[in-house]
Amino acid sequence: MTETTAGDLEALVRRVRVMEDKWQILELLSAYGPAVDSGSADATAEIWTEDGEYDVDSGRLCGRGELRAMVGSAPHQGFITEGSAHMLSLPHVEVDGDRAVAIGHTQLVLKVPGTTADFQVARITANRWELVRTDGRWRVERRVARLLDGRSEARALLGGVVPPAG
Amino acid sequence: MTETTAGDLEALVRRVRVMEDKWQILELLSAYGPAVDSGSADATAEIWTEDGEYDVDSGRLCGRGELRAMVGSAPHQGFITEGSAHMLSLPHVEVDGDRAVAIGHTQLVLKVPGTTADFQVARITANRWELVRTDGRWRVERRVARLLDGRSEARALLGGVVPPAG
Amino acid sequence: MTETTAGDLEALVRRVRVMEDKWQILELLSAYGPAVDSGSADATAEIWTEDGEYDVDSGRLCGRGELRAMVGSAPHQGFITEGSAHMLSLPHVEVDGDRAVAIGHTQLVLKVPGTTADFQVARITANRWELVRTDGRWRVERRVARLLDGRSEARALLGGVVPPAG
């Protein structure tokens, strides 16, 4: 009966850890839409690091305080009390040690004000999420988001996807 | 050469099993859209437990028989023969032993009747899926779904996302 | 202290490998939207095998050369310089050794030409992705995509989802 060595097991542990990292990252990113659409200011802010940045075409937020304020702001409260969905397309995630990059689309659908149940796509957005592991947890250090209205910088964000080795 | 103990391996097996659970849950939830949009009544019903519940604002279905009947109903058949897509945003999944909760948005896009290829977002929906493992398989025991038209109970469903530990 | 055998470890390695396959497949499919919407012809083509096929209702492309040409074509360049998002719903993935099938919806949202930021859903699409592992990498061998405008062949593609064992 062949015995296994600690080295065999350690190699497998490393592979398991990479997948656990990816799950934690998906869970973090998938929390964003539910957090903002429910108006959960703390849950939204805690997706980022304490001084994390959200650089979006409509404004640049720095730190959890500004993220919480964005959720509580009149425009955002207007969206969610009227009806809003921040939808996430499956992101492309690359992990490199304690850092990771996720690239993908988001989509904002809003109820048309004054209607019972007419909805419109209000935004399609290119996203680059830069993540870092701190104290054993993944957080967003920087999210860059640009409206896909033809501007080249939005396309450039999506172009950061690494193609599989040819 | 250090030998590994059964305890080391068992600890790793537990970590692998948690990820297998998450995959099974994603596979179950990702089957919903294709099942309903293809009119597959059995495949739709089998996503739920035998007496599973689908509590949606437009009606409350109890058990696989009512789920099958929903797929075969005139309104649903009207949707799919006209053209429909039940899209799923990446859900946020929390597993706790033999139970799990998935939270996320769905979106219903329909072809506008009478047009060749004009589409409209007909619904944006907040979802809470309560899952249970029975006989080694994950199933939906209860799905609660509410239209995101500004009603507070829809926002409350999405607010169930657990933020990562601060 | 019980020792673990090579057989115990190998069984676990196999379970880990299945999940690594699923991650690679999700990463491949999630690269498609960012690749086409950024106009990255090479990154798009490399999602497929060298002679891979993309059979879509609007035309049938064979091999990476035709895929690259599609990205560079006037209609596609028109989409992306105006503003476009190819969104992916979470796909349902089944792996069987060195082959896999992924089934799910995609959605194309375009900016309405001549507007500042009005968006419309231009397509909802049923997809069946047939994948193969070659040289240790997963690639798409064939993607079949049909517009969900009521045609039965689009519904049939989605009906290929295998329900969980009853």
Side-chain angles (χ1 to χ4, degrees), chain A residues 55-76:
Chain A
D55 174 1
V56 56
D57 44 80
S58 55
R60 186 161 161 275
L61 307 174
C62 292
R64 289 187 182 158
E66 292 190 13
L67 287 156
R68 269 188 290 265
M70 177 270 287
V71 176
S73 71
H76 187 80

Side-chain angles (χ1 to χ4, degrees), chain A residues 32-147:
Chain A
Y32 177 77
V36 289
D37 286 322
S38 62
S40 307
D42 288 340
T44 302
E46 283 165 14
I47 291 170
W48 272 261
T49 57
E50 187 60 48
D51 57 354
E53 181 186 349
Y54 180 16
D55 174 1
V56 56
D57 44 80
S58 55
R60 186 161 161 275
L61 307 174
C62 292
R64 289 187 182 158
E66 292 190 13
L67 287 156
R68 269 188 290 265
M70 177 270 287
V71 176
S73 71
H76 187 80
Q77 290 294 314
F79 287 167
I80 68 175
T81 53
E82 190 74 54
S84 79
H86 287 76
M87 307 275 299
L88 180 74
S89 195
L90 182 68
H92 182 83
V93 182
E94 299 273 341
V95 179
D96 181 13
D98 289 331
R99 306 195 66 83
V101 173
I103 289 178
H105 299 84
T106 50
Q107 180 190 33
L108 173 61
V109 182
L110 297 176
K111 206 188 77 177
V112 180
T115 67
T116 306
D118 286 355
F119 299 97
Q120 64 188 354
V121 178
R123 284 182 65 99
I124 48 175
T125 307
N127 293 272
R128 176 187 172 88
W129 313 73
E130 297 170 0
L131 300 114
V132 63
R133 180 181 9 216
T134 45
D135 303 325
R137 295 281 328 180
W138 287 93
R139 307 266 182 205
V140 175
E141 193 174 62
R142 186 163 174 252
R143 175 186 176 188
V144 186
R146 290 292 179 273
L147 188 66

Side-chain angles (χ1 to χ4, degrees), chain B residues 8-76:
Chain B
D8 295 332
L9 192 65
E10 272 165 29
L12 193 58
V13 166
R14 275 192 296 275
R15 291 164 64 179
V16 166
R17 200 173 291 148
V18 168
M19 294 196 290
E20 289 173 339
D21 283 341
K22 291 181 183 178
W23 275 113
Q24 278 195 25
I25 291 168
L26 283 198
E27 284 162 19
L28 192 71
L29 300 186
S30 65
Y32 177 77
V36 289
D37 286 322
S38 61
S40 307
D42 287 340
T44 302
E46 283 164 15
I47 291 170
W48 273 260
T49 57
E50 187 59 50
D51 57 354
E53 181 186 348
Y54 180 15
D55 174 2
V56 56
D57 44 80
S58 55
R60 186 161 162 273
L61 307 174
C62 291
R64 289 187 181 159
E66 292 191 12
L67 286 157
R68 270 190 289 266
M70 178 270 286
V71 175
S73 71
H76 187 81

Side-chain angles (χ1 to χ4, degrees), chain C residues 95-137:
Chain C
V95 179
D96 182 13
D98 290 329
R99 305 195 67 83
V101 173
I103 289 177
H105 299 84
T106 50
Q107 179 190 33
L108 173 60
V109 182
L110 297 175
K111 204 188 77 175
V112 180
T115 66
T116 306
D118 285 355
F119 299 97
Q120 64 188 354
V121 178
R123 284 183 64 99
I124 48 174
T125 307
N127 294 270
R128 176 187 172 88
W129 312 74
E130 296 171 1
L131 300 115
V132 63
R133 178 175 19 211
T134 45
D135 303 325
R137 295 281 328 178

Side-chain angles (χ1 to χ4, degrees), chain C residues 4 6 41 58 61 65 74 76-77 81 96 107 109 112 126 130 134 139 156:
Chain C
T4 58
S58 55
L61 307 174
H76 188 79
Q77 290 294 315
T81 54
D96 182 13
Q107 179 190 33
V109 182
V112 180
E130 296 171 1
T134 45
R139 306 264 183 208

Side-chain angles (χ1 to χ4, degrees), chain A residues 1-4 8 15 19 22 26 89-92 105 107 122 124 148-150 155 158-159 161 163-165, chain C residues 3-6 9 20 23 27 30 33-34 37-38 46 80-83 86-88 107 109 111 119 137 139:
Chain A
M1 209 151 78
T2 318
E3 285 162 15
T4 57
D8 294 334
R15 290 165 65 180
M19 294 195 291
K22 291 180 184 179
L26 283 197
S89 195
L90 182 68
H92 182 83
H105 299 84
Q107 180 190 33
I124 48 175
L148 282 157
D149 62 353
R155 291 200 297 281
L158 295 179
V161 168
Chain C
E3 285 161 15
T4 58
T5 67
L9 192 65
E20 288 173 337
W23 275 114
E27 284 162 19
S30 65
D37 286 322
S38 60
E46 284 166 13
I80 69 176
T81 54
E82 190 72 56
H86 288 76
M87 307 275 301
L88 180 73
Q107 179 190 33
V109 182
K111 204 188 77 175
F119 299 97
R137 295 281 328 178
R139 306 264 183 208

Side-chain angles (χ1 to χ4, degrees), chain C:
Chain C
M1 207 150 79
T2 318
E3 285 161 15
T4 58
T5 67
D8 293 333
L9 192 65
E10 272 164 29
L12 193 57
V13 167
R14 275 192 296 276
R15 291 164 65 180
V16 166
R17 201 173 288 149
V18 168
M19 294 196 290
E20 288 173 337
D21 284 341
K22 291 182 183 177
W23 275 114
Q24 277 194 25
I25 291 168
L26 283 198
E27 284 162 19
L28 192 71
L29 300 185
S30 65
Y32 177 77
V36 291
D37 286 322
S38 60
S40 307
D42 288 341
T44 303
E46 284 166 13
I47 291 169
W48 273 261
T49 57
E50 187 59 49
D51 57 354
E53 181 186 348
Y54 179 16
D55 174 2
V56 56
D57 43 80
S58 55
R60 186 162 161 275
L61 307 174
C62 291
R64 288 187 184 159
E66 293 191 11
L67 287 156
R68 270 188 290 265
M70 177 270 285
V71 175
S73 70
H76 188 79
Q77 290 294 315
F79 287 168
I80 69 176
T81 54
E82 190 72 56
S84 78
H86 288 76
M87 307 275 301
L88 180 73
S89 194
L90 183 69
H92 183 83
V93 182
E94 298 273 340
V95 179
D96 182 13
D98 290 329
R99 305 195 67 83
V101 173
I103 289 177
H105 299 84
T106 50
Q107 179 190 33
L108 173 60
V109 182
L110 297 175
K111 204 188 77 175
V112 180
T115 66
T116 306
D118 285 355
F119 299 97
Q120 64 188 354
V121 178
R123 284 183 64 99
I124 48 174
T125 307
N127 294 270
R128 176 187 172 88
W129 312 74
E130 296 171 1
L131 300 115
V132 63
R133 178 175 19 211
T134 45
D135 303 325
R137 295 281 328 178
W138 288 93
R139 306 264 183 208
V140 175
E141 194 174 62
R142 185 164 175 252
R143 175 186 176 186
V144 186
R146 291 291 180 272
L147 188 66
L148 281 158
D149 62 353
R151 66 183 78 189
S152 60
E153 61 179 316
R155 289 200 298 281
L157 285 180
L158 295 178
V161 168
V162 180

